[in-house]
Amino acid sequence: MSACSASAAPVAEGVVPFRGDRQAGIVTPAQDRLHFVALDLTTDNRERVRALLQKWTSAAERMTAGAETAPGGAVGGNPDGPPADTGEALGLPAAKLTLTFGVGPGFFDKLGLDPALRPAGLAELPRFTLDQLDPALSGGDLCIQACADDPQVAVHAVRNLVRIGFGTTSVRWSQLGFGRTSSTSTAQATPRNLFGFKDGTRNLKAEDGAELLDQHVWVQPGDGPAWLAGGTYLVARRIRMHVEIWDRTSLAEQEAIVGRTKGEGAPLGAAGEFDTADFAAIGPDGLPRIGEVAHIRLASPEALNGVRILRRGYNFVDGSDGQGHLNAGLFFVAFMRDPHAQFVPMQRALANKDVMMEYIEHTGSAVFACPPGLSDGQYWAQPLLEA
Amino acid sequence: MSACSASAAPVAEGVVPFRGDRQAGIVTPAQDRLHFVALDLTTDNRERVRALLQKWTSAAERMTAGAETAPGGAVGGNPDGPPADTGEALGLPAAKLTLTFGVGPGFFDKLGLDPALRPAGLAELPRFTLDQLDPALSGGDLCIQACADDPQVAVHAVRNLVRIGFGTTSVRWSQLGFGRTSSTSTAQATPRNLFGFKDGTRNLKAEDGAELLDQHVWVQPGDGPAWLAGGTYLVARRIRMHVEIWDRTSLAEQEAIVGRTKGEGAPLGAAGEFDTADFAAIGPDGLPRIGEVAHIRLASPEALNGVRILRRGYNFVDGSDGQGHLNAGLFFVAFMRDPHAQFVPMQRALANKDVMMEYIEHTGSAVFACPPGLSDGQYWAQPLLEA
């Protein structure tokens, strides 16, 4: 791949370039906060959808540049019309806002697009053991992932895009994430999920270089329809975590389930977080030091024929569940070249064998195809609507 | 009142003292993030409740000091028992965590406390015009307000207190807030709510001094039962904001409804945010420059016989509403000396006349009595349980 053209240009502090070979918000170092929205098309009119995608793209470009959040930024021209911007981010910095766009199966169905344009990766995921998916928290014809270091900036962006989409799209579901659960850069410390463990130590990272990222994250020419080459797939899973039950489990049991120590995050039997996990080591009891069904073994490339994904999830708490518990968990977001060759075997292994499944529940699921980045003047999904 | 004893002691950066004449989290400069939980007692056994409040107090003191979040902090002593701490905030700073405690009407009823201990301010609020209260988002026997600059720290605190309460309390409802909507210190810039307007410009602030705060915020000796003197009442209202409808309203109409300009936040007819609102001024059309039913007029001390409150609310987005809209709004939290003499007349005026009511809906409501601060060795609500 050529170097990312936009990233070479000087940009203001806290601004992540919107245009380039790749969409931002994928290998971009994971920001602190997330607002993710899945939308449905409420029209089958291609021209209206095209007009919306043009408007969205220009609004997204403005917002990621911080233009609408600059102090003294315009709140709207004509006082007799609605303000051009909703205003709640006035005075806030760009906060590394990225807006990442994807299309779901319904985008092709509802607009009656040429079947040759529909990528195979959007085929429905199989049902996994113990799945408890809520249709109201699953699927979607389009998605927009907003990440920023300030939640008000991420919420502002989604809310304004939703507003612009009124009459053409409606919100299917949305999810706020308050703390990242993965690093996507070696410059970032590994954060902790709501089970209290460091999460994503072995995640793919921007610094892993083009070869690994091409192999695992970016759709390659020849993988499918040409428009998606250089893009990727986004798999979202809303994972409710039964933290109250987990919290009553012993530390030794928690560490055995995960396969790492809780404090340092080291693979069992090793000392440091980034030490190599020795899956062959036998403990004093004659059993594998890292159990046969430990989470880090089941999800490891070693156990999955080399499968890796780029995780970019967030912790969430959505109030309480009406039964005396917090409605909390992990909103899993991962990017990959082929969901069916990567996410599916990984999740199948976990769903069937991971003891952690006793403490979690997958309540939402969606897959989107994320086009490559935009060059100057292009708008989101342009090749699909001008094909 | 004597000076707050704890605040004189040197404390680590990012640590708000837990003990003192007042509870922290009230006039403390409003932190960026909130996790609020209302709990119900699942027992009528006073001894068990007393034991819980002792455990809670010592956990709250440890957590606000950052003890449980220090790098390398213990995750638990005995590996065969559950970890002492859930761990997700390991490595994070104290982040100005405050934990503010209150009791609701059920605390007195369920424990059969002496009726003389029950403060009059906990009497049920009247139903206001257009109230759409959901019982599942209202009330509670106890509340804990966790505020911090890092949401993971606030969530961690609530989650661990909920965990410690298992068997004695259960979660009734909980609310995450992602952005503050008021300043409680003149050192803070006025933030914006999800209608895009600066909110809380005329809020009571810590710097207003003891006389004003005693008059409006702190329960005074003689106001009611002695245990609450030096404490305050907390009124919580979950206010759903129909942002999609608001966003289609003209800028001029929005500003007329609020009574301020959107950009600067100046009272209509004035230039600067903190300029005095001239409620007598007549515009070129012969009508009052700030309308008779403008929000800032209806809620002003001038219109309410001098009533003022200390607001400390947060923006929220709780996913979507299943009808294509974001489930977003303002979680109103305010502290005051007497809800029935302050919140009730203010909310009655707004509910009956404020045009903004067309764009909002009150979906949750609760009132709690917050005791004064704790001296060394005291635990939350001790005077109530040892009376």
Side-chain angles (χ1 to χ4, degrees), chain B residues 198-252:
Chain B
K198 292 186 185 175
D199 203 337
T201 299
R202 291 189 76 188
N203 199 25
L204 278 173
K205 302 205 163 70
E207 294 82 358
D208 284 331
E211 195 180 331
L212 265 186
L213 296 175
D214 280 352
Q215 186 185 342
H216 298 292
V217 178
W218 304 120
V219 174
Q220 298 298 305
D223 280 358
W227 69 269
L228 191 56
T232 184
Y233 289 94
L234 184 164
V235 176
R237 304 280 289 188
R238 186 180 184 279
I239 305 176
R240 167 82 192 274
M241 291 159 78
H242 296 289
V243 294
E244 298 82 2
I245 306 175
W246 181 259
D247 289 343
R248 294 198 288 277
T249 306
S250 76
L251 176 61

Side-chain angles (χ1 to χ4, degrees), chain A residues 79 81 152 159 194 247 252 315, chain B residues 79 81 152 159 194 247 251-252 315:
Chain A
Q152 185 115 337
R159 182 251 191 108
L194 292 182
D247 288 344
N315 296 319
Chain B
Q152 184 115 336
R159 182 249 190 109
L194 292 183
D247 289 343
L251 176 61
N315 296 317

